[in-house]
Amino acid sequence: DAGVTQSPTHLIKTRGQHVTLRCSPISGHKSVSWYQQVLGQGPQFIFQYYEKEERGRGNFPDRFSARQFPNYSSELNVNALLLGDSALYLCASSALGDTQYFGPGTRLTVL
Amino acid sequence: SQQGEEDPQALSIQEGENATMNCSYKTSINNLQWYRQNSGRGLVHLILIRSNEREKHSGRLRVTLDTSKKSSSLLITASRAADTASYFCATADYGGATNKLIFGTGTLLAVQP
Protein backbone atom coordinates (compact mmCIF):
# COMPACT_ATOMS: atom_id res chain seq x y z
CA ASP A 1 0.00 0.00 0.00
CA ALA A 2 1.18 3.52 -0.75
CA GLY A 3 2.07 5.64 2.23
CA VAL A 4 1.31 9.30 2.73
CA THR A 5 2.43 11.35 -0.24
CA GLN A 6 3.21 15.05 -0.33
CA SER A 7 3.96 17.49 -3.11
CA PRO A 8 6.06 19.28 -3.97
CA THR A 9 9.22 17.94 -2.33
CA HIS A 10 10.97 21.29 -2.28
CA LEU A 11 9.76 24.80 -2.84
CA ILE A 12 11.45 28.19 -2.91
CA LYS A 13 9.36 31.32 -2.52
CA THR A 14 9.98 34.97 -1.78
CA ARG A 15 8.54 37.00 1.07
CA GLY A 16 4.93 38.04 0.55
CA GLN A 17 4.10 35.22 -1.85
CA HIS A 18 1.51 32.52 -1.38
CA VAL A 19 2.14 28.77 -1.27
CA THR A 20 -0.03 25.66 -1.51
CA LEU A 21 1.18 22.31 -0.23
CA ARG A 22 -0.61 19.05 -1.00
CA CYS A 23 -1.05 15.78 0.83
CA SER A 24 -2.64 12.45 -0.02
CA PRO A 25 -3.39 10.18 2.95
CA ILE A 26 -3.07 6.45 3.22
CA SER A 27 -6.04 4.73 1.62
CA GLY A 28 -8.83 4.35 4.15
CA HIS A 29 -7.56 7.10 6.46
CA LYS A 30 -10.03 9.94 6.91
CA SER A 31 -7.96 12.16 9.19
CA VAL A 32 -5.15 14.41 7.97
CA SER A 33 -2.96 16.58 10.17
CA TRP A 34 -0.36 19.18 9.26
CA TYR A 35 2.80 19.97 11.20
CA GLN A 36 5.57 22.53 10.81
CA GLN A 37 9.12 21.57 11.72
CA VAL A 38 11.67 24.33 12.00
CA LEU A 39 15.30 23.26 11.80
CA GLY A 40 16.52 21.83 15.07
CA GLN A 41 13.09 21.51 16.67
CA GLY A 42 10.32 18.97 16.91
CA PRO A 43 7.24 19.25 14.70
CA GLN A 44 4.53 21.71 15.75
CA PHE A 45 0.85 20.97 15.16
CA ILE A 46 -0.88 23.29 12.68
CA PHE A 47 -4.23 21.70 11.72
CA GLN A 48 -6.22 18.51 11.87
CA TYR A 49 -9.04 17.65 9.49
CA TYR A 50 -11.45 14.74 9.69
CA GLU A 51 -14.21 14.07 7.21
CA LYS A 52 -13.55 17.48 5.62
CA GLU A 53 -14.10 19.33 8.87
CA GLU A 54 -11.45 21.16 10.88
CA ARG A 55 -11.04 19.32 14.18
CA GLY A 56 -8.15 21.27 15.63
CA ARG A 57 -5.89 24.23 15.06
CA GLY A 58 -2.52 24.99 16.57
CA ASN A 59 -1.10 28.35 17.53
CA PHE A 60 -0.51 29.65 14.01
CA PRO A 61 -1.65 32.95 12.47
CA ASP A 62 -4.59 33.26 10.11
CA ARG A 63 -2.16 33.34 7.18
CA PHE A 64 -2.24 29.55 7.52
CA SER A 65 -5.32 27.76 6.24
CA ALA A 66 -6.16 24.28 5.08
CA ARG A 67 -8.93 22.20 3.65
CA GLN A 68 -9.75 18.57 3.05
CA PHE A 69 -11.38 17.26 -0.09
CA PRO A 70 -14.02 14.50 -0.54
CA ASN A 71 -11.24 12.01 -1.37
CA TYR A 72 -9.61 12.95 1.98
CA SER A 73 -6.59 14.61 0.37
CA SER A 74 -5.68 17.95 1.85
CA GLU A 75 -4.09 21.28 1.02
CA LEU A 76 -2.21 23.64 3.32
CA ASN A 77 -2.13 27.26 2.22
CA VAL A 78 0.14 29.95 3.57
CA ASN A 79 -0.36 33.57 2.55
CA ALA A 80 2.00 36.54 2.82
CA LEU A 81 5.04 34.36 3.41
CA LEU A 82 7.60 35.44 5.99
CA LEU A 83 11.21 34.34 6.32
CA GLY A 84 10.19 32.51 9.49
CA ASP A 85 7.85 30.27 7.53
CA SER A 86 10.87 28.44 6.13
CA ALA A 87 10.50 24.92 7.45
CA LEU A 88 9.70 21.31 6.68
CA TYR A 89 5.95 20.89 6.42
CA LEU A 90 4.75 17.43 7.34
CA CYS A 91 1.43 15.80 6.66
CA ALA A 92 0.19 12.84 8.67
CA SER A 93 -2.79 10.60 8.14
CA SER A 94 -4.59 8.31 10.54
CA ALA A 95 -7.74 6.54 11.37
CA LEU A 96 -9.08 8.94 14.00
CA GLY A 97 -7.56 8.27 17.41
CA ASP A 98 -4.91 5.91 16.07
CA THR A 99 -1.26 6.07 15.07
CA GLN A 100 -0.36 8.94 12.77
CA TYR A 101 1.71 8.08 9.69
CA PHE A 102 3.81 10.85 8.22
CA GLY A 103 4.69 11.73 4.66
CA PRO A 104 8.18 12.72 3.51
CA GLY A 105 7.45 16.42 3.92
CA THR A 106 7.73 19.53 1.79
CA ARG A 107 10.81 21.66 2.38
CA LEU A 108 9.79 25.32 2.03
CA THR A 109 12.44 28.01 1.76
CA VAL A 110 11.37 31.64 1.89
CA LEU A 111 13.91 34.15 0.58
CA SER B 1 5.22 25.07 22.30
CA GLN B 2 6.91 21.73 22.92
CA GLN B 3 5.26 19.29 25.29
CA GLY B 4 8.45 18.04 26.81
CA GLU B 5 12.09 17.35 26.56
CA GLU B 6 14.18 14.48 25.33
CA ASP B 7 17.37 13.67 27.14
CA PRO B 8 20.11 13.62 26.08
CA GLN B 9 19.98 16.11 23.20
CA ALA B 10 22.72 14.16 21.43
CA LEU B 11 24.19 10.69 21.90
CA SER B 12 27.14 9.03 20.19
CA ILE B 13 27.78 5.30 20.59
CA GLN B 14 29.58 2.44 18.87
CA GLU B 15 27.80 -0.19 16.80
CA GLY B 16 26.60 -3.03 18.98
CA GLU B 17 26.10 -0.86 22.05
CA ASN B 18 22.70 -0.03 23.53
CA ALA B 19 21.21 3.46 23.27
CA THR B 20 18.80 4.88 25.83
CA MET B 21 16.79 8.04 25.31
CA ASN B 22 14.47 9.63 27.81
CA CYS B 23 11.42 11.78 27.35
CA SER B 24 9.54 13.89 29.87
CA TYR B 25 6.16 15.47 29.29
CA LYS B 26 3.91 17.87 31.12
CA THR B 27 0.22 16.96 30.85
CA SER B 28 -1.93 13.85 31.11
CA ILE B 29 -1.89 11.69 27.99
CA ASN B 30 -3.81 8.98 26.16
CA ASN B 31 -0.69 7.48 24.64
CA LEU B 32 2.94 8.24 23.88
CA GLN B 33 4.62 7.50 20.58
CA TRP B 34 8.22 7.39 19.44
CA TYR B 35 9.27 8.43 15.96
CA ARG B 36 12.56 8.35 14.03
CA GLN B 37 13.63 11.00 11.54
CA ASN B 38 16.53 10.62 9.13
CA SER B 39 18.28 13.77 7.92
CA GLY B 40 15.29 16.12 7.95
CA ARG B 41 12.99 13.74 6.12
CA GLY B 42 9.58 12.43 7.16
CA LEU B 43 8.95 10.81 10.51
CA VAL B 44 8.82 7.04 10.81
CA HIS B 45 6.56 5.64 13.51
CA LEU B 46 8.41 3.24 15.81
CA ILE B 47 6.15 2.30 18.68
CA LEU B 48 3.04 3.43 20.57
CA ILE B 49 2.50 2.84 24.26
CA ARG B 50 -0.86 3.55 25.86
CA SER B 51 -1.28 5.28 29.19
CA ASN B 52 -2.33 2.03 30.89
CA GLU B 53 0.78 0.18 29.70
CA ARG B 54 4.15 0.23 31.44
CA GLU B 55 6.43 -1.49 28.94
CA LYS B 56 6.32 -2.47 25.30
CA HIS B 57 8.73 -4.26 22.98
CA SER B 58 9.15 -4.21 19.21
CA GLY B 59 12.15 -5.99 17.76
CA ARG B 60 15.27 -4.25 19.15
CA LEU B 61 13.15 -1.50 20.72
CA ARG B 62 11.93 -1.38 24.31
CA VAL B 63 9.77 1.46 25.56
CA THR B 64 8.76 2.15 29.12
CA LEU B 65 6.20 4.60 30.42
CA ASP B 66 5.87 5.99 33.93
CA THR B 67 2.76 8.15 34.07
CA SER B 68 3.38 9.08 37.72
CA LYS B 69 6.68 10.68 36.72
CA LYS B 70 5.41 11.78 33.30
CA SER B 71 8.36 10.15 31.61
CA SER B 72 9.19 7.53 29.02
CA SER B 73 12.35 5.87 27.80
CA LEU B 74 13.33 4.28 24.51
CA LEU B 75 16.02 1.60 24.51
CA ILE B 76 17.59 0.47 21.24
CA THR B 77 19.60 -2.69 21.74
CA ALA B 78 22.54 -3.84 19.63
CA SER B 79 22.61 -0.58 17.70
CA ARG B 80 23.57 -0.39 14.02
CA ALA B 81 24.94 2.44 11.89
CA ALA B 82 21.52 2.56 10.20
CA ASP B 83 19.98 3.60 13.54
CA THR B 84 21.70 6.99 13.18
CA ALA B 85 18.83 9.48 13.20
CA SER B 86 16.87 11.90 15.36
CA TYR B 87 14.38 10.33 17.73
CA PHE B 88 11.28 12.14 18.98
CA CYS B 89 8.69 11.29 21.56
CA ALA B 90 5.19 12.59 20.98
CA THR B 91 2.24 12.61 23.32
CA ALA B 92 -1.30 12.29 22.08
CA ASP B 93 -4.04 14.28 23.66
CA TYR B 94 -7.51 13.46 22.41
CA GLY B 95 -9.05 16.37 24.25
CA GLY B 96 -12.13 17.57 22.44
CA ALA B 97 -12.18 16.23 18.91
CA THR B 98 -8.54 16.85 18.15
CA ASN B 99 -6.09 14.04 17.62
CA LYS B 100 -2.92 16.08 17.81
CA LEU B 101 0.58 15.03 18.66
CA ILE B 102 2.80 17.19 20.80
CA PHE B 103 6.47 16.52 20.12
CA GLY B 104 9.54 16.85 22.28
CA THR B 105 12.77 18.43 21.17
CA GLY B 106 14.41 15.23 19.97
CA THR B 107 17.57 13.21 20.60
CA LEU B 108 20.18 13.04 17.86
CA LEU B 109 21.71 9.56 17.87
CA ALA B 110 24.95 8.84 16.05
CA VAL B 111 26.05 5.21 15.81
CA GLN B 112 29.69 4.88 14.82
CA PRO B 113 30.60 1.80 12.72
Side-chain angles (χ1 to χ4, degrees):
Chain A
D1 284 343
V4 178
T5 59
Q6 291 186 244
S7 62
T9 305
H10 295 90
L11 204 51
I12 299 175
K13 293 284 189 178
T14 56
R15 282 176 294 176
Q17 286 189 315
H18 162 90
V19 69
T20 298
L21 310 180
R22 296 178 174 82
C23 171
S24 293
I26 292 170
S27 178
H29 286 183
K30 298 180 179 180
S31 177
V32 170
S33 298
W34 287 94
Y35 293 81
Q36 180 197 64
Q37 186 179 23
V38 175
L39 193 63
Q41 297 183 16
Q44 299 268 350
F45 173 77
I46 309 175
F47 284 110
Q48 188 211 356
Y49 276 78
Y50 178 73
E51 290 278 18
K52 296 170 287 180
E53 290 188 2
E54 181 182 304
R55 288 295 190 97
R57 183 187 185 109
N59 188 23
F60 281 82
D62 291 343
R63 298 184 297 107
F64 288 76
S65 64
R67 54 179 176 167
Q68 187 176 33
F69 298 99
N71 66 352
Y72 304 113
S73 67
S74 178
E75 282 183 355
L76 175 69
N77 294 284
V78 187
N79 292 323
L81 285 167
L82 304 174
L83 295 179
D85 296 331
S86 294
L88 180 69
Y89 288 84
L90 295 161
C91 172
S93 79
S94 68
L96 192 62
D98 207 336
T99 299
Q100 293 191 31
Y101 296 92
F102 284 79
T106 294
R107 173 75 60 188
L108 172 64
T109 302
V110 182
L111 302 177
Chain B
S1 62
Q2 305 289 159
Q3 160 73 297
E5 301 280 334
E6 275 97 335
D7 171 53
Q9 288 187 325
L11 179 62
S12 181
I13 59 174
Q14 298 292 318
E15 258 191 331
E17 294 181 337
N18 295 341
T20 299
M21 288 160 266
N22 302 298
C23 165
S24 61
Y25 57 91
K26 298 175 183 175
T27 62
S28 61
I29 62 172
N30 296 94
N31 65 60
L32 185 144
Q33 304 177 40
W34 284 89
Y35 287 85
R36 184 185 75 228
Q37 185 176 41
N38 292 84
S39 301
R41 298 178 187 172
L43 297 162
V44 174
H45 182 262
L46 296 176
I47 197 165
L48 179 153
I49 186 166
R50 303 192 185 280
S51 58
N52 61 351
E53 297 176 311
R54 292 296 169 258
E55 186 171 314
K56 203 161 183 180
H57 296 255
S58 177
R60 295 184 295 113
L61 306 180
R62 172 180 170 256
V63 169
T64 62
L65 178 64
D66 186 335
T67 53
S68 66
K69 295 181 179 179
K70 291 186 169 58
S71 67
S72 173
S73 68
L74 170 67
L75 169 67
I76 304 174
T77 60
S79 63
R80 306 166 181 168
D83 295 328
T84 295
S86 292
Y87 291 81
F88 293 91
C89 68
T91 53
D93 176 9
Y94 301 143
T98 300
N99 175 24
K100 71 177 183 181
L101 294 177
I102 304 175
F103 285 84
T105 51
T107 292
L108 179 59
L109 173 66
V111 181
Q112 309 298 331

